[in-house]
């Protein structure tokens, strides 16, 4: 799978760790930066990565900043991007299975490497239940319709 990754300086180290694990699993990573520990403005990296998700250049995105919320706020402004902040594997599972998210946002200042890798593993391996469950399909479709109204 092709995955867009982005971070600011607060998420750089964790982003690089996650990218290495994903590459070892055969995924292709498209890194939108930052690639330095110097202070970086999150929109400069998350916005182009979100556009890549929206345009279908990548299948999913994983963004890492200090707490995850900045990335999610930016990503969710881009049509066709459905981002969730996940701070544990349970939330990651629900973000995929119930909500069909295509972007995962993680906080590098609040989540350690081991739990972050488990969150990514769960999020990447969980299928959306909407293909077999009308309730989730109906709910996600309503969100997609809202998204379309504001394009």
């Amino acid at each position: 799978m092709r995955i867009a990754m982005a971070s600011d300086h607060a998420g750089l180290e964790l982003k690089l760790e996650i990218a290495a694990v994903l590459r070892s699993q055969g995924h292709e990573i498209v890194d939108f930066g930052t690639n330095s520990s110097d202070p970086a403005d999150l929109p400069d990296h998350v916005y182009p990565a979100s556009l890549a998700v929206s345009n279908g250049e990548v299948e999913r995105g994983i963004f890492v900043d200090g707490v995850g919320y900045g990335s999610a706020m930016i990503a969710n402004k881009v049509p066709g991007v459905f981002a969730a902040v996940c701070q544990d594997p349970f939330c990651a599972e629900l973000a995929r299975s119930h909500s069909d998210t295509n972007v995962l946002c993680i906080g590098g200042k609040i989540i350690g490497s081991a739990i972050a890798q488990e969150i990514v593993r769960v999020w990447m391996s969980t299928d959306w239940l909407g293909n077999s469950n009308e309730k989730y399909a109906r709910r996600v479709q309503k969100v997609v319709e809202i998204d379309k109204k504001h394009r």
Side-chain angles (χ1 to χ4, degrees):
M1 183 179 298
R2 243 171 102 86
I3 303 165
M5 292 198 73
S7 70
D8 62 3
H9 54 285
L12 174 61
E13 185 176 322
L14 186 56
K15 177 191 75 170
L16 294 175
E17 289 179 25
I18 293 168
V21 170
L22 291 169
R23 281 188 186 101
S24 75
Q25 297 169 349
H27 298 288
E28 180 183 349
I29 303 302
V30 182
D31 190 341
F32 287 84
T34 189
N35 295 307
S36 167
S37 59
D38 295 335
D41 294 339
L42 196 54
D44 295 343
H45 307 287
V46 169
Y47 179 62
S50 298
L51 289 174
V53 174
S54 177
N55 295 331
E57 297 167 28
V58 296
E59 294 164 83
R60 293 193 191 171
I62 299 176
F63 307 155
V64 187
D65 63 34
V67 295
Y69 296 113
S71 291
M73 287 173 43
I74 297 161
N76 282 321
K77 298 289 185 193
V78 177
V81 175
F82 303 96
V85 178
C86 296
Q87 298 174 347
D88 59 62
F90 178 72
C91 290
E93 180 182 356
L94 294 180
R96 282 289 310 136
S97 65
H98 290 195
S99 301
D100 197 23
T101 57
N102 56 8
V103 170
L104 171 64
C105 299
I106 297 176
K109 287 185 177 180
I110 59 172
I111 297 174
S113 176
I115 191 76
Q117 289 181 34
E118 180 63 10
I119 290 167
V120 170
R121 184 194 68 74
V122 168
W123 188 77
M124 289 293 296
S125 63
T126 300
D127 292 327
W128 179 47
L129 295 176
N131 294 324
S132 61
N133 186 309
E134 183 181 316
K135 172 176 67 175
Y136 299 119
R138 181 183 69 248
R139 291 174 182 171
V140 167
Q141 186 57 39
K142 288 180 179 184
V143 176
V144 169
E145 291 302 320
I146 292 168
D147 181 65
K148 286 180 182 176
K149 286 181 184 179
H150 297 279
R151 288 189 185 203

